[in-house]
Amino acid sequence: CRHEAASVVVSSRSYADFTPEATFDIKKVDLHRLEEGPPLTSTLTREDGLKYYRTMQTIRRMELKADQLYKQKIIRGFCHLYDGQEACAVGIEGGITLSDHLITAYRAHGYTLTRGGTVREIMAELTGRREGIAKGKGGSMHMYTKNFYGGNGIVGAQVPLGAGVALACKYLGTDQLCVSLYGDGAANQGQIFETYNMASLWKLPIIFICENNQYGMGTSVERASASTEYYKRGDFIPGLRVDGMDVLCVREATKFAADHCRSGKGPILMELQTYRYHGHSMSDPGVSYRTREEIQEVRSKSDPISMLKDRMLSNNMASVEELKEIDIEVRKEIEDAAQFATTDPEPPLDDLCSHIYANEKSFEVRGATPWTKLTSHS
Amino acid sequence: MAASARLLFRGAGLKAYTANVNSGAQSSFGTTLLRLSPNCSSQTKTQIKHASHFTYHPDPVPTMYGPTTKMNLFQSVTSALDNTLASDPTAVIFGEDVAFGGVFRCTVGLRDKYGKDRVFNTPLCEQGIVGFGIGAAAAGATAIAEIQFADYIYPAFDQIVNEAAKYRYRSGNLFDCGNLTIRAPWGCVGHGSLYHSQSPEAFFAHCPGIKIVIPRGPVQCKGLLLSCIEDHNPCIFFEPKILYRAAVEQVPTEAYTIPLSQAEVLQEGSDVTLVAWGTQIHVLREVVSMAQEKLGVSCELIDLQTILPWDTETVCKSVAKTGRLLISHEAPVTGGFAAEISSTVQTPVHTLNQTDSNLSTMAKTRELCKDIRDKIVDQHKAGMGYRTIGQQLGEKATTVGAIIRKWKKFKKTVNLPQSGAPCKFSPRGASVIMRKVRDQPRTIHRTWSVT
């Protein structure tokens, strides 16, 4: 059939006709207390390009699916979506390795994926089922994988934690670092400044990243912060302000920051200027504090996936059909995952009180009435 | 963000709550078994969902405070704040997102009415909000701070406990922050999970110098909030978030106060004292009517209202009358405020959390005091028979036997809460009682003669 023929044609063209790699100009990065910044160009290989495209598309589709499932009340509770900010998660992961550590706040679905989670596990966690990445007990805000410390509900509380992880890296001499993310709203929390001080004093290998999506819930940055130059807020910590909608920009900046940390120079701060298309969470329509035109404008001018796609197509690094095929595969993957997430059984009642403590004998926990007892297993 | 308030009531279970507003006491079982929604597959049909519910019981219309209008809980908060800003030119309201009206709509319209220098947003910094509030209060302003959820109050814990509570004391009454009131949404809401459902009153109860107040409905809320604002001590006012929309009453439009540290006896009774605050009052109201109907037990229901300093007199007097106490609250059992109440009252109690209390502790025989019970056990250990012991101490042999059996089984002579359904009566005894009550539903324990 025609489709088959087209795919045959594509595969026979893949090695001969596509550019294996290309160099792109990227936006200059604003610097604070730094002489030099990341390079102004970035080289992207075809492989990496397709990988980033696939991952970003997966995140985008996954978030939109979560939106759908939430509206169908299959996902309950709280759900904070990451679409629009995909370049941040993918770019950061491109600049570090899976053996480095990362911690973020509640808008964590994208990071769970880039840090090694599968879409199936993530969606099952959103629907609170057995096969979820946190065994169905965490939900949207509490997802974890190896070297990914979540998924944290209390705003700002994850940053000192990240410093602790960084200390462990330094202490154990592993040459790993920790990436600690927070948002523009959290940037005004006191504990973040305490962390800046500790990290600088002890030269911890930590990259502070402020994902500035312009709005802390419904409050725009001008109304929340005396200084909206979040990359300078670290004061004595060198800072970079990066275009967070361009995956290559984020990647180069992260690489630069990682080198800075690994060479023992101490912490560094990155502000990623990005944007979220959805509201703060599923209960926020997202249009009472910003205009639909603004959202549309960002979508049309700076969408991270479109930007990457245009770059690759205009430099002949991939064909339209190939990218379409990736889209179709991604869609299928998400559909399967959603199907799995709705049909997987919920965790057994025995699990409800487990893991309150560790290494304790099983003890009884009072249930909803004094005569229903649940057992806590460690 | 106005939409966030809507979310809280989008859950399927809550349709039941709002439908039951204003419908008074209902005699349904407290634990409802819900079928899973049709969305879930056949694999999960065998799992049964348990859900708790409560039915909101509105207060009668108050007549002594002037004209009233229909308001729900968040509107009663707005009304109280409106009255305060109107009468007190130093009053200011601040917190996260309060300017547009707040995530629960408690401050809607106030900024437009009183200006942006009196109702303003703070950045995301609870410690800063409370610290700032303490300073503003100390300087003479009536500061009303909002913490967006009680779950977020912990960064401000140091400021509240170490600064606000001790300011007057450590300055020898030279300075104080009595003008400070902190408001926070509190308690279970159904889908709040770890960080939108907490009831932290017990943490703060351990701190002299502050007051903690929790209302059960709009009329109480407005009166108590105005009292807190007027009170010359820093107050924390927890508002049950599940009642923001579900609780609708006729609330006076003028300002009025309800005294702090005074528990309210909502219903008089003779067999057992029930104490609760906030949402649990409505659960216990249902329990009271269930107990009366099905078990013939007369309950005295007390709303504690002020957690700190709490009205020990009313509670103790009531327990002295009934001899039994049952406390219900949402927070964890260990170290929860019920522990404080029960230890103060110092009679054998049952402390319960959350949902129903199964008052199958029916018409009892007189409970013997611990000394006599210990004496019985000692005498039995020495080799005396039941009848002999009974004759010696003037008790029935069957009573003696029961005490000794209990001691043999549990190794204790005290009546402590035990797992499993309470089993004071043998099944035969229970059927005797049930038969009597079925024949004569108006049987009360005083007319009972138990053999």
Side-chain angles (χ1 to χ4, degrees):
Chain A
C1 76
R2 252 180 82 197
H3 173 74
E4 238 184 306
S7 57
V8 165
V9 169
V10 162
S11 54
S12 70
R13 275 172 59 192
S14 61
Y15 298 111
D17 283 4
F18 289 133
T19 335
E21 66 174 42
T23 309
F24 299 97
D25 290 329
I26 50 178
K27 255 196 215 161
K28 186 171 183 303
V29 159
D30 296 319
L31 302 171
H32 170 70
R33 285 189 189 263
L34 283 167
E35 296 299 320
E36 280 175 17
L40 292 168
T41 58
S42 175
T43 309
L44 177 70
T45 63
R46 192 184 115 83
E47 225 178 87
D48 279 343
L50 290 175
K51 191 173 79 176
Y52 297 159
Y53 182 82
R54 180 184 283 268
T55 315
M56 288 204 285
Q57 192 70 286
T58 309
I59 298 177
R60 176 68 60 95
R61 292 267 119 228
M62 183 173 72
E63 297 300 79
L64 293 178
K65 193 67 184 166
D67 176 295
Q68 218 180 48
L69 291 176
Y70 193 93
K71 289 182 175 145
Q72 290 173 356
K73 295 206 180 130
I74 296 171
I75 298 177
R76 315 289 303 276
F78 298 97
C79 195
H80 305 84
L81 298 178
Y82 199 64
D83 53 323
Q85 298 185 216
E86 297 89 355
C88 297
V90 176
I92 291 171
E93 198 57 43
I96 58 174
T97 66
L98 274 174
S99 60
D100 290 318
H101 308 265
L102 193 140
I103 187 170
T104 183
Y106 46 77
R107 206 175 294 280
H109 304 165
Y111 290 101
T112 319
L113 192 75
T114 55
R115 291 254 97 204
T118 63
V119 183
R120 258 166 85 95
E121 286 173 329
I122 295 174
M123 301 227 79
E125 186 59 39
L126 287 174
T127 53
R129 305 301 165 98
R130 221 172 272 224
E131 293 294 315
I133 204 164
K135 316 258 185 328
K137 301 208 290 190
S140 164
M141 283 198 277
H142 307 292
M143 297 191 184
Y144 303 82
T145 72
K146 185 166 190 300
N147 291 348
F148 173 53
Y149 301 81
N152 294 285
I154 300 296
V155 160
Q158 75 277 9
V159 180
L161 240 103
V165 174
L167 176 68
C169 296
K170 180 168 178 173
Y171 186 82
L172 297 170
T174 53
D175 203 33
Q176 290 160 3
L177 49 80
C178 181
V179 179
S180 249
L181 293 121
Y182 54 94
D184 45 284
N188 296 315
Q189 275 277 324
Q191 42 196 333
I192 295 190
F193 294 91
E194 293 180 12
T195 316
Y196 290 159
N197 184 44
M198 288 192 287
S200 241
L201 202 56
W202 301 325
K203 292 222 174 338
L204 301 178
I206 180 171
I207 306 177
F208 294 105
I209 300 189
C210 176
E211 281 181 295
N212 179 1
N213 57 20
Q214 311 302 322
Y215 297 95
M217 270 201 343
T219 309
S220 66
V221 290
E222 305 83 44
R223 292 194 300 130
S225 305
S227 159
T228 54
E229 299 187 303
Y230 294 101
Y231 70 112
K232 288 189 183 166
R233 291 280 206 96
D235 190 18
F236 36 78
I237 296 183
L240 308 161
R241 180 163 55 189
V242 179
D243 177 11
M245 302 302 268
D246 179 357
V247 66
L248 295 177
C249 225
V250 177
R251 186 184 73 168
E252 292 310 313
T254 312
K255 277 198 186 138
F256 176 84
D259 289 335
H260 183 273
C261 283
R262 285 192 232 272
S263 61
K265 295 196 192 130
I268 187 167
L269 205 155
M270 253 167 66
E271 177 189 339
L272 299 177
Q273 291 191 307
T274 180
Y275 200 83
R276 54 168 161 80
Y277 297 149
H278 269 88
H280 161 74
S281 71
M282 283 309 297
S283 58
D284 173 23
V287 288
S288 50
Y289 47 86
R290 53 185 189 176
T291 57
R292 282 190 211 274
E293 287 78 44
E294 184 189 301
I295 307 173
Q296 269 313 104
E297 206 190 313
V298 177
R299 243 194 229 274
S300 53
K301 293 210 186 121
S302 340
D303 183 70
I305 299 178
S306 310
M307 217 191 284
L308 180 66
K309 187 172 173 182
D310 290 337
R311 275 190 170 143
M312 288 185 68
L313 289 177
S314 58
N315 280 273
N316 199 27
M317 291 177 78
S319 70
V320 178
E321 293 87 19
E322 197 175 6
L323 295 180
K324 263 217 182 82
E325 225 181 274
I326 295 181
D327 285 348
I328 294 171
E329 278 168 28
V330 165
R331 253 179 238 263
K332 182 160 188 314
E333 189 184 352
I334 306 288
E335 274 308 317
D336 287 343
Q339 185 59 23
F340 173 71
T342 40
T343 55
D344 194 38
E346 287 177 352
L349 201 57
D350 292 334
D351 263 0
L352 184 62
C353 293
S354 298
H355 302 121
I356 296 177
Y357 284 110
N359 299 330
E360 291 282 319
K361 278 192 309 195
S362 300
F363 59 96
E364 279 186 337
V365 175
R366 188 192 182 282
T369 69
W371 305 284
T372 42
K373 293 284 184 189
L374 298 160
T375 324
S376 173
H377 304 287
S378 305
Chain B
M1 275 328 287
S4 70
R6 276 203 294 275
L7 167 71
L8 296 176
F9 301 94
R10 217 185 273 166
L14 272 135
K15 287 207 183 84
Y17 303 174
T18 45
N20 283 328
V21 161
N22 281 329
S23 60
Q26 295 195 351
S27 56
S28 50
F29 282 106
T31 339
T32 8
L33 298 174
L34 287 183
R35 288 281 199 79
L36 291 179
S37 67
N39 283 330
C40 298
S41 82
S42 55
Q43 267 182 298
T44 47
K45 246 190 209 141
T46 46
Q47 276 188 308
I48 300 173
K49 241 185 196 153
H50 292 265
S52 310
H53 81 269
F54 71 96
T55 310
Y56 179 71
H57 296 79
D59 274 358
V61 182
T63 47
M64 57 287 213
Y65 302 124
T68 65
T69 176
K70 190 161 102 161
M71 287 189 217
N72 59 28
L73 196 83
F74 71 74
Q75 287 166 340
S76 72
V77 172
T78 319
S79 174
L81 297 175
D82 195 359
N83 292 139
T84 306
L85 288 168
S87 59
D88 180 352
T90 71
V92 282
I93 301 175
F94 50 92
E96 292 160 23
D97 299 310
V98 299
F100 85 96
V103 289
F104 292 107
R105 304 215 193 153
C106 294
T107 48
V108 168
L110 296 176
R111 185 177 166 99
D112 293 331
K113 197 166 168 187
Y114 296 102
K116 59 181 168 54
D117 50 345
R118 295 187 74 189
V119 180
F120 54 90
N121 283 338
T122 58
L124 215 167
C125 47
E126 286 73 22
Q127 186 172 22
I129 292 170
V130 173
F132 172 87
I134 294 170
T142 299
I144 304 166
E146 177 180 300
I147 299 290
Q148 196 156 78
F149 281 88
D151 313 53
Y152 307 159
I153 205 168
Y154 306 113
F157 195 84
D158 174 69
Q159 283 287 345
I160 295 172
V161 168
N162 277 333
E163 305 300 323
K166 298 172 168 65
Y167 213 149
R168 189 187 292 276
Y169 184 85
R170 70 170 189 259
S171 67
N173 205 18
L174 201 58
F175 285 98
D176 68 86
C177 57
N179 293 329
L180 175 66
T181 307
I182 301 169
R183 294 177 35 242
W186 166 101
C188 295
V189 72
H191 57 274
S193 192
L194 298 171
Y195 302 116
H196 296 77
S197 313
Q198 290 180 36
S199 309
E201 69 271 12
F203 292 118
F204 295 100
H206 195 54
C207 174
I210 50 172
K211 295 198 175 181
I212 309 169
V213 179
I214 305 177
R216 67 171 181 273
V219 173
Q220 305 302 310
C221 176
K222 180 168 167 173
L224 290 169
L225 180 56
L226 286 168
S227 296
C228 284
I229 294 171
E230 261 183 35
D231 194 279
H232 296 305
N233 293 293
C235 297
I236 307 180
F237 189 75
F238 287 126
E239 300 157 5
K241 62 175 83 72
I242 202 174
L243 296 180
Y244 272 139
R245 283 209 179 175
V248 182
E249 283 175 354
Q250 291 286 122
V251 181
T253 46
E254 306 285 315
Y256 63 98
T257 55
I258 293 177
L260 300 181
S261 296
Q262 266 188 33
E264 193 179 332
V265 179
L266 297 178
Q267 196 156 327
E268 299 216 10
S270 53
D271 294 331
V272 58
T273 304
L274 309 183
V275 175
W277 48 92
T279 318
Q280 284 299 299
I281 288 288
H282 304 288
V283 175
L284 289 190
R285 275 225 203 253
E286 199 172 324
V287 165
V288 166
S289 60
M290 265 173 79
Q292 185 61 65
E293 243 179 73
K294 295 185 193 293
L295 306 169
V297 172
S298 149
C299 305
E300 180 147 301
L301 179 60
I302 299 183
D303 181 1
L304 203 60
Q305 289 183 339
T306 304
I307 307 300
L308 184 77
W310 63 285
D311 187 352
T312 49
E313 208 186 301
T314 305
V315 175
C316 290
K317 219 165 68 175
S318 170
V319 180
K321 179 171 84 169
T322 61
R324 297 172 190 87
L325 175 62
L326 187 150
I327 309 159
S328 181
H329 65 60
E330 289 177 14
V333 180
T334 309
F337 200 64
E340 175 62 32
I341 299 175
S342 65
S343 73
T344 305
V345 168
Q346 280 181 12
T347 51
V349 297
H350 280 274
T351 47
L352 296 184
N353 276 358
Q354 293 185 336
T355 50
D356 289 343
S357 57
N358 184 341
L359 288 178
S360 73
T361 51
M362 289 182 47
K364 280 187 198 171
T365 49
R366 271 178 312 125
E367 237 171 54
L368 299 175
C369 70
K370 194 171 185 324
D371 303 316
I372 299 184
R373 280 184 261 135
D374 286 336
K375 223 183 274 181
I376 289 173
V377 169
D378 291 331
Q379 289 189 336
H380 177 75
K381 278 198 253 191
M384 259 195 240
Y386 296 173
R387 206 173 282 278
T388 332
I389 300 174
Q391 275 168 357
Q392 270 215 337
L393 296 172
E395 297 297 330
K396 294 205 179 78
T398 45
T399 313
V400 170
I403 289 169
I404 291 173
R405 264 195 303 279
K406 191 171 286 181
W407 170 75
K408 281 191 180 154
K409 187 167 179 210
F410 298 109
K411 304 280 173 287
K412 290 195 182 91
T413 50
V414 264
N415 285 331
L416 294 174
Q418 293 157 11
S419 60
C423 181
K424 272 277 190 188
F425 294 100
S426 63
R428 182 175 158 273
S431 50
V432 166
I433 293 168
M434 288 310 293
R435 200 186 327 127
K436 178 121 191 185
V437 171
R438 260 195 293 272
D439 294 337
Q440 178 48 272
R442 293 182 141 251
T443 310
I444 57 175
H445 87 292
R446 274 197 213 95
T447 61
W448 199 260
S449 62
V450 179
T451 44

